[in-house]
Amino acid sequence: MKWELRFPPNGREVNVWCDELPSEFIVEVRPPEPLIAASLTVSSCILAISQWFPLNNCQAALVGGHFQADESGEFRVAWPLWFADNVSASEARSGWTVGLPSEFRTAVEQGLLAEQHHPSGVLTLTVWAHDQIGSSPLSFRTAVQSLLRLIKQREQDENSVQQGAWWVNPLKR
């Protein structure tokens, strides 16, 4: 299910995919690496988030994947096999370029670590896309932070997504 959230007058656009992924942006991943000790038990899920702020530069990001819950006591992340530095212009789709620029990986890690509690399991980040001009480390940091909050949220239905308590606003950082 895909939900499109629009917030006038600033034109903020946030899309959320639950139980599906935007397949045109899927990349291969490496084996998972431990990131931090986990303290939460949540359900396994499939999620993706894109955010776009047409009136602000450097605020575009698309990230998503599968979270597989387990009882390991670790929060692990599977990163892309290759980064967007290796993609050609022909791999751009719908205004987005598939992949994560390697210089944004640190910002994504910071976004994941910024949350206080982490679920036990593996987050396999298979969906990545950026805008050549409109993406920044901040946009990916906040997008992945929002994704992690949505994973930790008990309900991932239309009402809970529409309420937006899970969303991290990059314009207020």
Side-chain angles (χ1 to χ4, degrees):
M1 172 73 61
K2 178 182 177 186
W3 292 290
E4 297 178 1
L5 311 174
R6 304 290 182 259
F7 301 94
N10 66 2
R12 177 179 83 193
E13 299 176 13
V14 179
N15 295 319
V16 177
W17 291 262
C18 289
D19 299 323
E20 66 179 281
L21 296 173
S23 60
E24 66 269 28
F25 301 107
I26 292 179
V27 299
E28 292 182 62
V29 295
R30 301 171 191 212
E33 303 171 9
L35 189 64
I36 195 166
S39 58
L40 293 176
T41 302
V42 301
S43 299
S44 296
C45 59
I46 299 170
L47 293 168
I49 294 174
S50 71
Q51 60 185 26
W52 181 257
F53 296 83
L55 302 179
N56 289 52
N57 245 353
C58 304
Q59 301 304 331
L62 171 62
V63 62
H66 302 83
F67 177 75
Q68 182 63 49
D70 64 27
E71 296 182 16
S72 67
E74 289 183 321
F75 177 67
R76 300 178 311 281
V77 178
W79 294 97
L81 190 58
W82 48 267
F83 288 89
D85 310 335
N86 304 328
V87 301
S88 68
S90 65
E91 294 183 69
R93 296 175 180 89
S94 306
W96 294 88
T97 300
V98 179
L100 174 72
S102 58
E103 70 266 20
F104 294 177
R105 179 179 168 160
T106 300
V108 170
E109 286 177 349
Q110 291 170 348
L112 291 170
L113 293 171
E115 289 299 300
Q116 291 185 336
H117 302 285
H118 292 80
S120 181
V122 177
L123 176 57
T124 303
L125 294 169
T126 58
V127 173
W128 294 99
H130 67 283
D131 181 77
Q132 293 284 345
I133 298 168
S135 290
S136 70
L138 176 63
S139 63
F140 275 93
R141 177 187 169 149
T142 57
V144 78
Q145 215 174 332
S146 294
L147 182 72
L148 185 55
R149 286 184 182 183
L150 195 53
I151 288 169
K152 295 186 306 184
Q153 190 169 291
R154 278 195 203 285
E155 299 294 325
Q156 293 156 356
D157 58 19
E158 185 172 6
N159 285 338
S160 61
V161 169
Q162 293 283 351
Q163 289 173 0
W166 50 271
W167 189 67
V168 177
N169 187 343
L171 302 180
K172 292 187 177 180
R173 295 215 138 254

